[in-house]
């Protein structure tokens, strides 16, 4: 599961969690500033280089993309037939590529397919960026980040525990799936009702396992005195280093450059 922490000693691993969250937020802003797929492709390549830098296995990236193929096709078709250009003087964006039916007035435009490509690149780059963030940041750092942001202790504990147990539940799901397949359970029933019925042998054991894990976790927390005091302590305090200030300066300069390209030079729109 891509949300699980990947230990390492790269520069991204050594950056403070607040620096990485700032970089992630700036990246999200930049991805929504531009509609032109060329700019989105540049963001995808940038996040791809970061993923390659921290050595994310390609099979995990492919496993992340495979379930998105139906969504990608739907985005391309919907935007192709429903696109309205932001600026009507861009005639090339309104060029008709083909019609849905012979003699039909509903046509797929070049701008629509370009916008669909932009959405796909944006989705892919945001998934890669969030993956890089979670793979290079430990749960303890996220916990301290929530604490620094004055998030209540209960909410912080709930969020970090949920993030921590996503890989565990995914592993349980795969184990239950393999066990049910070994018992001869079929998962290829047709129709909506059939699909729901076929996955009940997975969901029911997974739900029961989740309740048992939550019960065990609560007993372990009570035995360790959780909730006895409101004072929050940590074995290692997060702190800024010179590399964090350099990284934040670079990220903010990128944001200023992106805003200038978009609003000053009017680039990156369809």
């Amino acid at each position: 599961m891509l949300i699980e922490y990947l230990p390492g000693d790269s520069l991204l691993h050594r950056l403070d969690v607040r620096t990485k969250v700032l970089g992630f937020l700036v990246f999200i802003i930049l991805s929504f500033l531009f509609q032109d797929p060329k700019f989105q492709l540049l963001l995808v390549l940038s996040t791809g280089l970061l993923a390659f830098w921290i050595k994310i296995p390609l099979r995990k990236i492919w496993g992340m993309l495979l379930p998105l193929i139906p969504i990608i096709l739907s985005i391309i078709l919907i935007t192709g037939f429903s696109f309205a250009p932001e600026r009507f003087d861009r005639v090339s964006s309104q060029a008709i590529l083909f019609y849905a039916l012979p003699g039909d007035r509903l046509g797929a435009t070049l701008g629509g397919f370009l916008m669909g490509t932009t959405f796909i690149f944006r989705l892919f780059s945001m998934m890669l960026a969030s993956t890089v963030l979670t793979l290079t940041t430990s749960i303890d750092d996220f916990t301290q980040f929530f604490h620094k942001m004055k998030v209540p202790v209960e909410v912080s504990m709930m969020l970090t525990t949920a993030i921590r147990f996503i890989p565990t539940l995914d592993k349980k799901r795969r184990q239950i799936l393999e066990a049910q397949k070994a018992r001869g359970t079929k998962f290829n029933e047709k129709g909506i009702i059939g699909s729901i019925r076929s996955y009940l042998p997975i969901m029911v054991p997974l739900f029961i396992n989740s309740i048992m894990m939550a019960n065990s976790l609560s007993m372990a927390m009570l035995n360790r005195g959780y909730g006895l005091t409101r004072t929050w302590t940590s074995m290692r305090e997060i702190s800024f280093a010179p590399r964090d200030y350099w990284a934040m300066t670079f990220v903010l300069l990128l944001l200023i450059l992106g805003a200038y390209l978009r609003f000053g030079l009017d680039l990156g729109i369809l």
Side-chain angles (χ1 to χ4, degrees):
M1 189 69 179
L2 289 178
I3 203 170
E4 192 170 4
Y5 175 62
L6 181 67
D9 194 39
S10 67
L11 177 61
L12 284 176
H13 284 84
R14 296 196 303 271
L15 286 176
D16 188 88
V17 59
R18 291 164 290 184
T19 304
K20 287 183 276 190
V21 170
L22 174 64
F24 178 73
L25 293 177
V26 168
F27 176 84
I28 297 299
I29 294 173
L30 289 175
S31 67
F32 280 96
L33 277 180
F34 302 105
Q35 295 178 350
D36 195 321
K38 294 191 294 293
F39 289 87
Q40 296 294 331
L41 179 60
L42 182 61
L43 293 176
V44 171
L45 294 176
S46 301
T47 51
L49 288 175
L50 291 178
F52 178 76
W53 186 15
I54 64 174
K55 299 178 181 179
I56 299 179
L58 291 177
R59 59 180 179 83
K60 286 192 174 184
I61 297 178
W62 174 246
M64 177 179 64
L65 286 177
L66 189 60
L68 295 178
I69 291 179
I71 299 176
I72 290 173
L73 295 177
S74 301
I75 289 174
I76 288 289
L77 290 176
I78 293 173
T79 56
F81 289 98
S82 61
F83 172 73
E86 184 173 319
R87 283 181 40 180
F88 292 96
D89 59 339
R90 297 179 179 268
V91 180
S92 59
S93 296
Q94 304 178 58
I96 302 297
L97 297 179
F98 60 88
Y99 291 93
L101 295 172
D104 194 359
R105 300 182 63 181
L106 180 61
T109 62
L110 175 62
F113 281 106
L114 290 177
M115 181 58 74
T117 305
T118 296
F119 287 156
I120 293 169
F121 283 159
R122 184 179 293 161
L123 177 64
F124 189 30
S125 61
M126 290 174 64
M127 290 185 64
L128 278 177
S130 60
T131 299
V132 170
L133 174 64
T134 53
L135 282 178
T136 58
T137 310
S138 66
I139 295 298
D140 292 337
D141 286 346
F142 276 121
T143 304
Q144 291 194 57
F145 171 73
F146 291 135
H147 178 59
K148 295 288 186 182
M149 298 299 293
K150 306 301 181 182
V151 177
V153 175
E154 293 80 5
V155 177
S156 175
M157 186 64 187
M158 179 181 64
L159 292 174
T160 53
T161 303
I163 295 173
R164 166 63 185 83
F165 276 92
I166 287 176
T168 305
L169 289 175
D170 183 66
K171 188 180 299 182
K172 287 282 186 182
R173 179 192 61 82
R174 284 186 271 111
Q175 291 176 351
I176 294 171
L177 179 62
E178 293 173 1
Q180 298 292 25
K181 284 183 178 180
R183 294 182 176 94
T185 304
K186 296 181 180 179
F187 298 100
N188 54 357
E189 295 188 27
K190 296 181 180 180
I192 299 178
I193 303 300
S195 300
I196 296 175
R197 188 187 301 114
S198 63
Y199 278 93
L200 281 177
I202 297 177
M203 299 307 299
V204 173
L206 185 62
F207 186 69
I208 295 174
N209 270 275
S210 302
I211 295 176
M212 294 174 62
M213 288 170 55
N215 187 47
S216 299
L217 178 63
S218 63
M219 289 191 294
M221 291 170 63
L222 288 175
N223 290 336
R224 287 165 174 80
Y226 178 79
L228 184 64
T229 176
R230 301 289 298 178
T231 304
W232 187 274
T233 59
S234 177
M235 294 181 62
R236 182 181 62 86
E237 287 290 335
I238 58 175
S239 60
F240 287 116
R243 57 176 174 266
D244 293 293
Y245 295 109
W246 285 109
M248 286 189 291
T249 302
F250 176 72
V251 166
L252 293 176
L253 287 176
L254 283 180
L255 179 61
I256 295 172
L257 177 61
Y260 174 71
L261 291 175
R262 174 63 179 81
F263 301 108
L265 301 181
D266 203 21
L267 298 176
I269 61 176
L270 294 177

